[in-house]
């Protein structure tokens, strides 16, 4: 088996409802997403998947939904509506708190399978850095 990983960066705001310290406040991160594909065999060019394809497919979705946006818990709709009314942006809501864990799980379970449905490779892992020092992995 061979693995192939592409790194994609984006900026987003969030807050963690119920957090006892500073993360309850609305704040932003330069998130770093690493998406890893694997396959038993390489294609005719000698690739698991072209790094460019991983980037373009994933980045198109990220740019439309997460980049320069705010990711909130669906329970945080009052805040989301206030921001949306003021800025006109389309707030991205999760069913759970927008922790790094929940954002990564949402991408791996709900989004990525649809984006790469016809592919010859599998997305086996994603790693999401919320800060340069803190990250989660979903296999
Ligand atoms: N398991 C998790 N813990 C925390 C999350 C999370 O998503 N999953 N999120 C936060 C906050 O959003 C916070 O912004 C990041 O945490 P922290 O490492 O405390 O951030 P710092 O700015 O202090 O990082 P430095 O590298 O020290 O500047 C909290 N916990």
């Amino acid at each position: 088996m061979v693995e192939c990983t592409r790194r994609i960066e984006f900026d987003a705001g969030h807050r963690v409802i119920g957090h006892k310290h500073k993360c309850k406040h609305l704040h932003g991160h330069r998130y770093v997403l690493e998406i890893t594909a694997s396959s038993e065999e390489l294609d005719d060019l000698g690739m698991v998947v072209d790094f460019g394809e991983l980037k373009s497919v994933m980045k198109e979705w990220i740019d439309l939904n997460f980049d320069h946006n705010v990711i909130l818990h669906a329970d945080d709709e009052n805040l989301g509506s206030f921001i949306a009314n003021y800025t006109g942006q389309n707030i991205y809501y999760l069913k759970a708190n927008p922790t790094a864990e929940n954002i990564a799980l949402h991408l791996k379970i709900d989004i990525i399978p649809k984006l790469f449905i016809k592919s010859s490779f599998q997305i086996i892992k994603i790693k999401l850095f919320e800060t340069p020092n803190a990250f989660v992995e979903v296999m």
Side-chain angles (χ1 to χ4, degrees), residues 117-135:
I117 194 165
K118 290 179 184 158
S119 304
S120 58
F121 54 86
Q122 290 196 317
I123 302 299
I124 55 160
K125 181 170 80 174
I126 66 166
K127 190 166 177 176
L128 183 66
F129 287 80
E130 192 175 89
T131 75
N133 303 313
F135 65 88

Side-chain angles (χ1 to χ4, degrees), residues 14 16 19 22-23 27 29 98-101 130-131 133-134:
H14 78 150
V16 179
H19 194 264
K22 58 189 177 181
C23 296
H27 62 283
H29 294 287
T99 57
E101 288 90 334
E130 192 175 89
T131 75
N133 303 313

